Amino acid sequence: MTAYERDLPRPAKTRTVTVAHAGGVERRGPVTMGQANMIRCMVRDEPEHINIHAVWPVPAGTRTDAVIDALRALVVRHEALRTTFPHAEGTVPREQVVAAEGEFTVTVLDHDALPPDAERYADAVARRARVERFRLDRDFGLRISLVTAAGAPVFVALAASHAVTDVSALAVLEEDWLALLSGGPLPSQDAFTPLELAAEEATPAGLRKSAASLRYWERIIRTGPQAMCDGPGAEGTEADTPEVTLRSLRGARALARVAERTGGLPSTVLLTAWCALVAHRTGQDVCVAAVPTSNRFHGRLARSVNTVSQDALLALDVRVPSFDALLAKAWGAALDAYRHSRFDAVALWEMIDRTTFERGSRFARDVVLNDVSALSEAGGTEPDGPELELGRGPSQVLPTRLLAFVHETAPLLRIGLWADPALFAPDEAEGFLTGLVRLLEAAAEEDVPLASLTGVTGVRPVERGPDWIRVDGSWVSPPAVAEALGGALGGVPVHVAADGSGEGLTAFVASGGVPPTPAEAHAALMRVLPGRPGVLAPRRYVIVQGPPKKADRTDAWLRRHILTEGNGRTPADPT
């Protein structure tokens, strides 16, 4: 929580309105895969990290009772808002129950006058509501505050349970709420309800999709980089990360011109530019990124008020000569990711744990692109905004290294970026967004050689020291592997070198007493891998009798007496 959130201006008066609703239909059934995924995160993570929030500006002239009546109508209209997840203490919910009637509360924060930065204030009110955990078995899924000035509603600030809605669902709710306020027509309700989606997922076709998703993910996790951001400073599993914002008419115009020149969709063009720049900055051959909102590509999911928060995992090989060649590959790679974004979350993480143990890696979801621009109503309006403006938003503690939200692509390109400050100095984070605009502008005129990205964008690849090598699709520091393995085994001397094939590492472990087995050495290293993306487990462990005098030379270790050796991956430890 920021200092601003802790010290919010005090309203002149606060009151709580209890709102009753009725007219729904009581139903129950199993949870969806997306709900199960988010419930798993809600049980594990801190609430302020997993809960979500939104701020809805209230149209001028709207009365408080109209705001509340529209909120009531939303709850009756959307089953997700009447859903709870009963479960016995100590167990994880597997069932959802939709209530026919009930009540919720709205906290009205009355102010004589709002502070000059009123929208920031409303955002802070919503963020503050995120810090308390939602009780899945009984809590209403929204915590709603109505911010007023001299009695006139100005903002609805709400926090939401991620088991009930996601960012896309909140945008759908806002659109419906505005329609209810204006008396205009509501969109038809042909999207999946949560219970309908759960039923579809349980069909033979749905189960086949889930199984195919696991196979798709396993291939990427076995062969792709274990982390995109693995250079010096990439340590720990969470970072307090400031937001950098981009608002740019230049960027939007360039994006439209690239789409016109190439025939690509603007969303695919932006994804291609993002991946090209991320891979360039990180020095990777493949851009692996989570693209969470993209799993709403199915027609009946696009406007579903539900949590469909399951990652589409994109793996785009950037080893092509130019931007246009990469764009030609990007749509197929993105579609492959979208098609494989529905899965049993428990089975997925069981697979990830098994696969990473066998590979000797630690999968890092460290690059995320969340493009919610399709939910924006700004498209088609008269251009209004700066040519290129960079700003700052609040910090968040995030388990990622590089997270971007694309809020708008036309007529303004509007992006929020959170870049780990240990890897991106403030000017580098700003330079990354500026470089993205420069890349789009260059690609608007002609095809851009990917080898020229430093000059075109001003973004330089991360500098790794001479000890770093590429092994098994990942950048690795053998000295860091040796330090981690030696520490995990109680401080014994360890030497790590690339094996003869260049595709893996060999670890030499010196033993002066009871020697560890390769399986014990591998298990010990795997326990200390989280937060060390530059460490990849060796493919082979060689346990020798004592260290050589020249402990930095591989040939000296090869001359030591070998006590045991093996890959360490199985109890039998085959050699």
Side-chain angles (χ1 to χ4, degrees):
M1 183 183 295
T2 66
Y4 185 84
E5 291 165 34
R6 285 192 299 268
D7 302 323
L8 291 178
R10 292 183 178 275
K13 184 172 62 173
T14 299
R15 57 193 174 94
T16 300
V17 179
T18 300
V19 184
H21 61 86
V25 177
E26 183 175 348
R27 301 207 294 158
R28 66 175 58 222
V31 298
T32 68
M33 292 180 181
Q35 287 171 331
N37 184 42
M38 294 318 304
I39 288 170
R40 176 184 175 277
C41 295
M42 291 177 69
V43 170
R44 179 194 62 195
D45 297 345
E46 290 300 316
E48 62 186 299
H49 301 165
I50 193 62
N51 294 337
I52 56 177
H53 75 284
V55 173
W56 300 346
V58 180
T62 305
R63 295 171 57 86
T64 296
D65 57 357
V67 171
I68 292 174
D69 286 344
L71 291 170
R72 178 191 289 110
L74 274 187
V75 174
V76 175
R77 175 175 167 85
H78 294 291
E79 289 188 358
L81 300 184
R82 294 181 275 116
T83 297
T84 53
F85 304 89
H87 60 284
E89 186 175 352
T91 65
V92 176
R94 297 183 181 275
E95 183 184 45
Q96 56 181 312
V97 175
V98 180
E101 58 187 30
E103 60 184 32
F104 61 94
T105 60
V106 176
T107 301
V108 181
L109 305 175
D110 288 315
H111 302 76
D112 295 331
L114 290 177
D117 51 353
E119 188 167 2
R120 183 189 177 199
Y121 165 66
D123 185 79
V125 169
R127 285 180 181 276
R128 187 171 61 178
R130 289 172 54 161
V131 301
E132 184 181 347
R133 196 175 298 278
F134 280 91
R135 294 167 296 184
L136 292 164
D137 59 336
R138 52 179 169 165
D139 280 358
F140 180 65
L142 302 177
R143 294 191 185 117
I144 306 171
S145 295
L146 179 59
V147 178
T148 71
V154 182
F155 293 104
V156 170
L158 56 87
S161 164
H162 219 330
V164 170
T165 62
D166 55 21
V167 172
S168 299
L170 290 179
V172 173
L173 288 174
E174 182 181 10
E175 184 179 336
D176 283 1
W177 176 74
L178 289 170
L180 287 163
L181 286 177
S182 68
L186 287 165
S188 60
Q189 284 188 282
D190 52 5
F192 279 128
T193 67
L195 285 171
E196 289 170 344
L197 179 56
E200 195 270 345
E201 290 173 343
T203 64
L207 295 175
R208 285 195 297 271
K209 287 180 182 178
S210 178
S213 294
L214 294 186
R215 292 192 296 271
Y216 169 86
W217 277 67
E218 182 171 353
R219 176 177 60 79
I220 295 173
I221 290 169
R222 282 194 184 277
T223 61
Q226 69 163 339
M228 289 298 294
C229 302
D230 51 20
E235 298 177 354
T237 56
E238 292 185 343
D240 188 11
T241 309
E243 181 187 14
V244 180
T245 60
L246 168 75
R247 299 173 69 242
S248 176
L249 290 172
R250 281 172 46 191
R253 289 194 297 265
L255 178 58
R257 293 202 307 272
V258 180
E260 182 179 4
R261 182 182 71 78
T262 62
L265 294 171
S267 59
T268 309
V269 170
L270 185 59
L271 177 66
T272 302
W274 166 265
C275 287
L277 201 57
V278 168
H280 171 70
R281 173 63 172 75
T282 59
Q284 302 285 6
D285 290 338
V286 180
C287 179
V288 175
V291 280
T293 57
S294 300
N295 56 15
R296 284 180 174 260
F297 74 100
H298 186 290
R300 293 194 65 191
L301 288 176
R303 288 187 52 82
S304 177
V305 175
N306 186 9
T307 185
V308 194
S309 288
Q310 293 188 274
D311 285 340
L313 186 66
L314 175 73
L316 180 59
D317 192 325
V318 301
R319 288 172 289 189
V320 293
S322 69
F323 183 89
D324 287 6
L326 189 61
L327 177 61
K329 295 175 61 176
W331 171 240
L335 188 60
D336 213 16
Y338 305 161
R339 286 172 173 166
H340 296 102
S341 60
R342 194 186 301 180
F343 45 77
D344 180 324
V346 174
L348 179 80
W349 281 101
E350 288 175 347
M351 178 277 291
I352 290 175
D353 288 343
R354 181 187 71 254
T355 300
T356 53
F357 185 85
E358 292 170 358
R359 187 184 183 192
S361 63
R362 190 74 182 190
F363 170 66
R365 183 185 181 271
D366 58 351
V367 173
V368 181
L369 178 66
N370 218 350
D371 187 346
V372 296
S373 60
L375 305 169
S376 170
E377 296 184 338
T381 63
E382 288 298 315
D384 180 21
E387 287 296 298
L388 194 154
E389 177 186 86
L390 296 169
R392 289 278 166 175
S395 296
Q396 292 192 63
V397 177
L398 298 169
T400 60
R401 306 291 182 189
L402 197 64
L403 165 65
F405 269 81
V406 181
H407 298 288
E408 293 180 53
T409 57
L412 187 75
L413 182 61
R414 184 163 64 92
I415 299 174
L417 177 74
W418 290 264
D420 186 343
L423 302 178
F424 293 81
D427 60 329
E428 290 179 308
E430 294 176 353
F432 188 90
L433 288 173
T434 303
L436 185 65
V437 173
R438 289 174 176 168
L439 175 56
L440 291 171
E441 290 179 323
E445 302 302 323
E446 60 184 359
D447 194 7
V448 177
L450 295 188
S452 69
L453 286 185
T454 298
V456 169
T457 68
V459 175
R460 304 184 64 84
V462 64
E463 293 184 5
R464 297 182 176 89
D467 292 330
W468 287 77
I469 60 175
R470 195 192 296 274
V471 172
D472 190 20
S474 300
W475 282 102
V476 179
S477 168
V481 177
E483 180 184 6
L485 178 56
L489 293 174
V492 301
V494 173
H495 175 73
V496 174
D499 62 22
S501 69
E503 295 297 317
L505 301 173
T506 297
F508 298 89
V509 179
S511 174
V514 178
T517 67
E520 290 169 340
H522 185 67
L525 179 59
M526 293 301 296
R527 286 193 291 270
V528 301
L529 274 193
R532 300 186 184 197
V535 175
L536 189 73
R539 288 193 177 183
R540 194 163 194 80
Y541 298 86
V542 180
I543 317 300
V544 303
Q545 184 68 52
K549 291 182 180 179
K550 297 181 178 180
D552 60 336
R553 295 177 60 94
T554 301
D555 59 348
W557 285 87
L558 286 168
R559 290 192 291 270
R560 301 301 297 167
H561 174 62
I562 296 175
L563 301 174
T564 184
E565 59 182 312
N567 64 29
R569 268 53 171 185
T570 62
D573 196 24
T575 59

